[in-house]
């Protein structure tokens, strides 16, 4: 079999594995609040999330095109297939490490850092498309702060509207409402996160000269959506435990406020064709909601550990990818 064809097949398989892992790693964040408040049983939450993720993944392609062309120019990337394979191996490795320890890390940071690290290892810093790369970094960095603010404001609004309501009845009603917010959260996750694997597969097709445009083929969209949906159905219980209970004690009204806030931000990013981290946005929304209630309600120790992982993910994944590229280069 031709080496380029073999590499492309490997990349497609690894990209779908990345999407599968993303499904149980990141989608756990999307349903964590509804599971922790018992608005949904774990089985129903996962079934709902898998369905809505699949639908969301098929709805848009703008983020996929951003991944395809805005980090590096796939048409100018020499030895591009090896670069992309190295990036995927790195991103998958980091995702599995953080999943094992129950740390809600960012698959987006891992993938984008890995693409940049492998490309730099192959062709130097000049290979980066700095305009697009900086735009992506800005979205990844700014979105958690916006989520923190929106979560704070959303919870403040809820407190004002329901200040004279019976707490028990309000929480019971919000538990039903959370079914809808969890579905919305999973849908918006699909519109953004599933597209990252679509983008990298399209990069590989261009690098191997199997495609001459950045359009996302339908088979790539369907395969990525299915892979994420299956991954979601497996569940990510360690992540759910951290996000749903360790940042703060979440009641239904808190969960609904956090879900609405993060869904609003993720969908806005999708509309702007910008990849953001579902993990970062949801965790930050929960912190904002908790801060609006009482600052001491937030477990800032866990929050600090999450933030530290956010900071280190991109440089570590870039370094791993650079090393993996050099190793692959010896054998391919």
């Amino acid at each position: 079999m031709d080496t380029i064809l073999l590499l492309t097949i490997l990349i497609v398989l690894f990209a779908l594995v990345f999407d599968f892992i993303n499904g149980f790693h990141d989608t756990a964040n999307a349903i964590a609040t509804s599971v922790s408040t018992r608005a949904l049983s774990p089985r129903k939450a996962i079934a709902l999330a898998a369905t809505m993720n699949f639908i969301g993944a098929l709805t848009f392609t703008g983020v996929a095109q951003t991944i395809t062309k805005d980090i590096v120019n796939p048409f100018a990337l020499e030895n591009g297939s090896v670069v992309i394979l190295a990036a995927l191996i790195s991103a998958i490795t980091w995702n599995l490490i953080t999943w094992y320890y129950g740390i809600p890390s960012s698959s987006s940071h891992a993938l984008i850092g890995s693409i940049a690290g492998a490309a730099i290892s192959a062709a130097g810093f000049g290979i980066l498309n700095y305009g697009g790369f900086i735009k992506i970094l800005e979205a990844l960095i700014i979105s958690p702060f916006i989520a923190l603010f929106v979560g704070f404001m959303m919870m403040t609004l809820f407190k004002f509207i329901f200040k004279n309501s019976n707490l028990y009845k309000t929480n019971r009603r919000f538990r039903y409402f959370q079914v809808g917010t969890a579905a919305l959260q999973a849908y918006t996750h699909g519109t953004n996160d599933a597209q990252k694997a679509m983008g990298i597969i399209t990069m590989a097709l261009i690098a191997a000269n199997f495609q001459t445009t950045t359009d996302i083929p339908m088979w790539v969209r369907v395969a990525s959506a299915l892979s994420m949906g299956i991954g979601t159905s497996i569940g990510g219980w360690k992540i759910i435990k951290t996000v749903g209970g360790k940042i703060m004690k979440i009641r239904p009204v808190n969960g609904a406020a956090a879900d609405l806030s993060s869904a609003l931000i993720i969908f806005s990013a999708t509309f702007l064709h910008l990849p953001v981290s579902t993990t970062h946005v949801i965790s930050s929304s929960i912190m904002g909601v908790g801060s609006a209630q009482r600052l001491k309600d937030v477990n800032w120790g866990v929050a600090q550990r999450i933030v530290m992982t956010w900071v280190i993910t991109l440089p570590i994944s870039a370094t791993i990818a650079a090393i993996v590229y050099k190793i692959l280069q010896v054998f391919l």
Side-chain angles (χ1 to χ4, degrees):
M1 186 182 290
D2 179 76
T3 303
I4 294 296
L5 178 59
L6 177 61
L7 281 172
T8 305
I9 292 171
L10 280 174
I11 288 167
V12 171
L13 291 175
F14 272 89
L16 295 179
V17 168
F18 174 82
D19 236 5
F20 173 84
I21 294 170
N22 197 349
F24 72 74
H25 186 281
D26 279 20
T27 309
N29 298 297
I31 59 175
T33 58
S34 58
V35 172
S36 67
T37 62
R38 296 184 175 86
L40 286 166
S41 68
R43 189 185 297 269
K44 288 179 180 177
I46 287 173
L48 177 67
T51 302
M52 297 308 293
N53 255 290
F54 178 79
I55 295 170
L58 290 176
T59 310
F60 297 92
T61 60
V63 173
Q65 292 198 18
T66 296
I67 295 293
T68 300
K69 61 185 174 60
D70 281 12
I71 304 172
V72 297
N73 181 356
F75 298 101
L77 191 62
E78 291 185 21
N79 214 8
S81 297
V82 180
V83 168
I84 297 166
L85 183 60
L88 282 168
I89 292 171
S90 169
I92 289 169
T93 300
W94 183 246
N95 270 357
L96 288 175
I97 290 170
T98 53
W99 166 78
Y100 180 81
Y101 288 103
I103 302 169
S105 172
S106 167
S107 296
S108 305
H109 278 216
L111 182 61
I112 290 161
S114 295
I115 294 171
I120 291 168
S121 181
F125 285 91
I127 193 64
L128 293 182
N129 178 354
Y130 281 97
F133 186 58
I134 291 171
K135 180 180 71 174
I136 291 170
L137 287 183
E138 286 174 346
L140 290 172
I141 292 168
I142 294 170
S143 55
F145 293 101
I146 297 174
L148 187 72
F149 174 75
V150 173
F152 181 90
M153 295 305 296
M154 188 73 73
M155 189 62 214
T156 301
L157 179 63
F158 280 7
K159 283 170 62 180
F160 176 77
I161 294 172
F162 299 102
K163 63 181 178 181
N164 296 321
S165 300
N166 178 278
L167 182 62
Y168 172 77
K169 288 183 179 178
T170 301
N171 275 315
R172 187 177 62 182
R173 289 167 185 160
F174 267 103
R175 191 171 281 121
Y176 296 128
F177 183 56
Q178 261 198 290
V179 176
T181 60
L184 179 63
Q185 180 84 278
Y187 172 78
T188 56
H189 177 270
T191 67
N192 200 285
D193 268 38
Q195 291 191 53
K196 290 153 193 170
M198 298 181 201
I200 204 163
I201 291 173
T202 305
M203 274 184 76
L205 295 174
I206 293 169
N209 293 317
F210 292 133
Q211 187 167 316
T212 57
T213 70
T214 59
D215 295 334
I216 313 300
M218 180 53 72
W219 71 266
V220 173
R221 295 171 63 181
V222 172
S224 299
L226 277 172
S227 184
M228 176 163 280
I230 294 168
T232 302
S233 69
I234 303 299
W237 302 115
K238 291 183 178 182
I239 307 293
I240 288 174
K241 191 174 180 181
T242 298
V243 175
K246 291 188 177 180
I247 297 175
M248 64 171 286
K249 184 177 181 180
I250 298 176
R251 296 198 299 264
V253 64
N254 308 133
D259 286 350
L260 281 176
S261 302
S262 48
L264 176 64
I265 292 161
I266 294 166
F267 191 73
S268 297
T270 299
F271 183 75
L272 295 171
H273 299 176
L274 292 172
V276 293
S277 167
T278 304
T279 307
H280 291 198
V281 169
I282 295 174
S283 299
S284 297
S285 294
I286 293 172
M287 291 178 207
V289 167
S291 299
Q293 194 163 290
R294 282 187 306 177
L295 278 174
K296 67 178 184 179
D297 282 353
V298 179
N299 186 337
W300 294 106
V302 172
Q304 184 179 19
R305 185 163 66 102
I306 292 170
V307 171
M308 277 299 298
T309 310
W310 296 351
V311 172
I312 65 174
T313 292
L314 200 141
I316 287 181
S317 58
T319 303
I320 294 172
I323 294 169
V324 171
Y325 173 79
K326 293 299 184 186
I327 294 170
L328 290 177
Q329 201 178 28
V330 173
F331 297 100
L332 296 173

